[in-house]
């Protein structure tokens, strides 16, 4: 199968992490001509990454949908848990990471240039990011992982987003982003000890350094 995207995208990394944990071989390729090219729009009219091209030729966009598809087609190891409550908890963490955390972080991506920064926008975005971290922490139930005792789709979603929390917030004056969320602080520190998570973090760090010098 072929996955369109790049290593710095948290949504691409979500799929890559799941595939690595399940032993699924994916070929990572950039969108031909860029995300808005006619060639790529013919593959994925949404014009975003990731997009999965399956072995039977189906083009499937949206990371959450791709994750669900891979869980349904490659049953073992299961990354959603076996109980309905565990499955719901994993989906909840993933959804909160996307809707609350990444939405807030996304506003900070526009504020890299000190000469054009909007102090009020930054203040609000940082506040929203920290609030989102608190909400996610409230629903975390695992000691080593986000939900329960095993690595799950929640970890695949959360880890790449926390990478940007760790990298971006200090640039805007928040030197200890996880100070008020001790469970997340411990969780983030432990990601470096998990093979799949550590590889994703290393790939994102290398891409960020190459693209932005950070």
């Amino acid at each position: 199968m072929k996955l369109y995207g790049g290593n710095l995208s948290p949504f691409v990394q979500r799929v890559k992490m799941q595939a690595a944990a399940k032993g699924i071989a994916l070929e990572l390729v950039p969108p031909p001509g860029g995300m808005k090219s006619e060639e790529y729009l013919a593959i994925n009219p949404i014009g975003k990454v990731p997009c999965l091209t399956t072995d039977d030729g189906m083009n499937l966009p949206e990371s959450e949908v791709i994750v669900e598809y891979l869980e349904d087609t490659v049953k073992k190891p299961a990354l959603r848990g076996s109980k309905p409550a565990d499955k719901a908890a994993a989906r909840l963490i993933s959804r909160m990471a996307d809707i609350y955390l990444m939405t807030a972080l996304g506003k900070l991506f526009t504020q890299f240039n000190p000469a054009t920064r909007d102090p009020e926008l930054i203040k609000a975005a940082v506040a929203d990011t920290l609030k989102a971290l608190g909400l996610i922490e409230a629903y975390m139930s695992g000691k080593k992982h986000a939900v329960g005792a095993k690595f799950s789709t929640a970890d695949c979603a959360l880890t790449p987003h926390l990478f940007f929390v760790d990298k971006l917030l200090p640039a805007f004056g928040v030197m200890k982003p996880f100070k008020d969320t001790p469970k997340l602080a411990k969780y983030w520190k432990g990601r470096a000890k998990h093979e799949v998570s550590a590889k994703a973090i290393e790939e994102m760090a290398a891409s960020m350094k190459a693209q932005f010098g950070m």
Side-chain angles (χ1 to χ4, degrees), residues 41-212:
L41 289 175
I43 297 168
N44 177 15
I46 296 175
K48 295 181 179 181
V49 294
C51 180
L52 178 75
T53 297
T54 67
D55 290 336
D56 59 5
M58 178 176 67
N59 294 317
L60 191 62
E62 296 296 323
S63 62
E64 186 174 356
V65 177
I66 296 171
V67 164
E68 293 293 327
Y69 170 80
L70 293 178
E71 281 298 308
D72 289 337
T73 53
V74 181
K75 302 291 186 180
K76 294 182 180 181
L79 300 187
R80 279 186 302 214
S82 57
K83 299 177 181 179
D86 291 336
K87 293 179 180 180
R91 289 185 173 111
L92 178 60
I93 293 290
S94 299
R95 189 164 178 81
M96 294 178 76
D98 285 350
I99 295 178
Y100 300 111
L101 183 54
M102 201 58 195
T103 297
L105 285 170
K107 297 174 183 177
L108 295 177
F109 285 115
T110 66
Q111 301 296 307
F112 279 131
N113 187 349
T116 58
R117 285 182 177 177
D118 181 338
E120 291 302 315
L121 186 153
I122 292 172
K123 182 179 179 180
V126 167
D128 287 344
T129 299
L130 296 177
K131 180 180 179 181
L133 292 176
L135 292 173
I136 291 170
E137 170 143 321
Y139 288 98
M140 292 179 69
S141 62
K143 292 183 178 180
K144 292 184 178 180
H145 303 296
V147 175
K150 295 182 179 180
F151 183 83
S152 73
T153 54
D155 299 296
C156 297
L158 187 55
T159 299
H161 291 332
L162 293 184
F163 169 85
F164 282 116
V165 172
D166 185 61
K167 292 294 185 182
L168 285 185
L169 263 64
F172 296 100
V174 184
M175 305 313 295
K176 296 182 178 180
F178 304 111
K179 178 174 68 71
D180 296 324
T181 48
K183 284 198 296 185
L184 271 176
K186 183 178 180 180
Y187 172 82
W188 175 242
K189 187 177 181 179
R191 291 300 89 195
K193 300 177 183 178
H194 186 270
E195 182 179 3
V196 171
S197 297
K199 183 179 180 182
I201 293 168
E202 289 171 4
E203 290 177 346
M204 294 182 77
S207 293
M208 194 166 190
K209 184 175 182 180
Q211 293 184 42
F212 301 105

